[in-house]
Amino acid sequence: MSVLLLPNEVLSMTAQAARRLVDAGDGDCALLYLALLQAGSNPDQAATQLGWDPGRMSAAFARLTAMGLAQGSCPGVPPAPQAAPVQDDRPPEYTRGDIADALEREQSFYGLSREMERLLGRVFSDTDLKSLYTIYDYLALPVEVIFMLAGYVVRSSRRQKGDASPLPRMTEVKREAFRWKRLGITTVERAEEYLRDQESIDQREWGVLSAVGVTQKRPAIDKEREYIHRWVQWGFSDEMIHLAYERTIFRKGQMNWPYVNKILESWKKSGYTTPQQVEQERGGQTRKAQTQTQGARPQENYQPSASRIQQQADWLDQFLQEQEKGGN
């Protein structure tokens, strides 16, 4: 007994604390409370003596706190991080001095500005430089990506307006830069992937426009290109797109891009990739006529056939209704 009752080494606790620990039946809480008593209520010292991992220590300390037998923060557990302040999404208003400092101190931005002037064929004004610095500093696009972006804007402008049209201005480049940022095109790899996709659309663009009844050759507008991109990704041929167009004309009386998209989406979900597969769905009644018609006309002659449209109208109504019932 003398070993257990050495002078000056007697710990004491209130009866109330003892009852709470006993009622809780939690061994970790009891050990931690004793360690705190021995450490003079110093949580860090108690944690060192126990040598528990942070998770075990945190859980026991929280339970002690809930019982009113501990207070303060748990030792060894960093405080919860504070929420970052909400940032203003608007780009900063760069001053002429900001731009001058950037041109003087940031060689990469200076070189970028000179190359962009050459690419766009003009000496940049203060507004042009501010637009470029917004892309470089605020959007934080790499220099290589900015060059790829600007080249894409130039090519797109000439595709829309013709090779003799004036080169685009920096405001157009900045507008496209914000769009690339929203799309996550912030690396050379992502930019290369995006440009490959755009090239595939360029190659298919006029074929798809012809398939949906456009007779005068022209570039697609942005919304049309979004649909073309989607249909190309889905793997549809111009012939399948034209088939969806014919059904749209019968149902709507005119070209309707969302409705064509709805038909193609339903065919994609059903796994249809050829007109023959579409014909099979309605019992193969017009499959032979479809094959003969395809063989009789050139591949790029996309004039709608009134007899084909009328013949397949009932099937189209039934097919789309079934697709809508199935959640498509």
Side-chain angles (χ1 to χ4, degrees):
M1 290 293 293
S2 60
V3 175
L4 298 178
L5 298 173
L6 293 176
N8 300 323
E9 290 197 10
V10 176
L11 299 177
S12 63
M13 70 173 72
T14 66
Q16 184 183 32
R19 281 195 301 271
R20 291 182 183 180
L21 291 171
V22 171
D23 291 342
D26 191 321
D28 279 1
C29 283
L31 283 173
L32 178 54
Y33 189 75
L34 290 174
L36 288 169
L37 289 176
Q38 188 177 23
S41 300
N42 186 319
D44 293 316
Q45 186 176 341
T48 301
Q49 290 175 348
L50 291 170
W52 290 348
D53 61 76
R56 183 180 180 185
M57 186 71 190
S58 176
F61 194 87
R63 292 194 294 271
L64 274 184
T65 302
M67 287 188 283
L69 299 178
Q71 60 183 1
S73 60
C74 178
V77 179
Q82 295 183 350
V86 178
Q87 296 183 349
D88 193 342
D89 289 335
R90 293 174 299 177
E93 293 290 338
Y94 297 108
T95 66
R96 178 181 292 183
D98 294 332
I99 303 302
D101 287 343
L103 290 171
E104 181 178 355
R105 299 180 182 181
E106 301 184 53
Q107 288 299 311
S108 59
F109 178 67
Y110 176 82
L112 172 65
S113 65
R114 299 286 82 83
E115 286 298 314
M116 290 290 289
E117 286 181 333
R118 180 189 61 78
L119 181 62
L120 299 183
R122 64 173 57 86
V123 176
F124 280 178
S125 64
D126 288 346
T127 301
D128 293 329
L129 288 170
K130 289 177 182 178
S131 294
L132 181 59
Y133 197 61
T134 298
I135 300 171
Y136 174 86
D137 180 67
Y138 176 71
L139 297 181
L141 295 183
V143 170
E144 296 86 349
V145 173
I146 297 175
F147 283 138
M148 298 169 76
L149 162 72
Y152 169 73
V153 173
V154 170
R155 291 191 298 274
S156 297
S157 176
R158 288 184 165 172
R159 179 181 58 81
Q160 290 280 349
K161 304 174 185 177
D163 292 339
S165 62
L167 288 166
R169 305 193 69 85
M170 267 306 304
T171 51
E172 298 176 59
V173 178
K174 184 175 76 169
R175 187 184 311 116
E176 185 67 15
F178 274 86
R179 195 174 75 88
W180 278 33
K181 185 74 172 184
R182 289 193 301 271
L183 294 173
I185 308 172
T186 57
T187 65
V188 172
E189 292 75 20
R190 282 286 291 115
E192 289 176 343
E193 178 184 354
Y194 177 77
L195 293 178
R196 282 195 299 269
D197 286 344
Q198 295 305 307
E199 184 178 358
S200 69
I201 299 174
D202 291 343
Q203 293 170 353
R204 291 283 307 277
E205 182 178 278
W206 175 238
V208 174
L209 287 175
S210 299
V212 297
V214 177
T215 57
Q216 184 175 0
K217 192 165 186 178
R218 63 165 177 80
I221 62 175
D222 289 343
K223 192 62 180 178
E224 292 171 343
R225 280 180 68 87
E226 290 179 13
Y227 283 116
I228 294 171
H229 184 206
R230 188 177 307 162
W231 301 343
V232 169
Q233 283 189 322
W234 288 349
F236 283 116
S237 65
D238 293 352
E239 190 174 19
M240 285 290 283
I241 294 170
H242 180 66
L243 199 59
Y245 163 72
E246 287 183 336
R247 285 146 176 73
T248 300
I249 292 297
F250 179 80
R251 291 286 293 174
K252 298 293 185 181
Q254 61 183 357
M255 172 56 186
N256 184 294
W257 287 85
Y259 196 80
V260 173
N261 185 75
K262 178 181 178 181
I263 295 174
L264 291 174
E265 185 176 15
S266 70
W267 289 350
K268 173 181 177 293
K269 292 179 179 179
S270 297
Y272 301 154
T273 58
T274 66
Q276 289 77 12
Q277 290 173 324
V278 175
E279 298 297 334
Q280 279 182 340
E281 176 66 22
R282 66 183 194 92
Q285 296 177 4
T286 61
R287 182 171 52 189
K288 184 177 179 180
Q290 170 76 6
T291 303
Q292 292 173 348
T293 304
Q294 291 171 357
R297 64 180 176 87
Q299 184 175 0
E300 294 187 357
N301 180 12
Y302 293 121
Q303 295 304 315
S305 168
S307 61
R308 284 178 59 201
I309 295 173
Q310 183 62 48
Q311 192 176 27
Q312 298 173 6
D314 294 338
W315 168 82
L316 172 61
D317 290 338
Q318 180 181 0
F319 179 79
L320 288 179
Q321 288 173 5
E322 291 175 353
Q323 293 294 318
E324 290 174 354
K325 290 178 181 178
N328 295 322

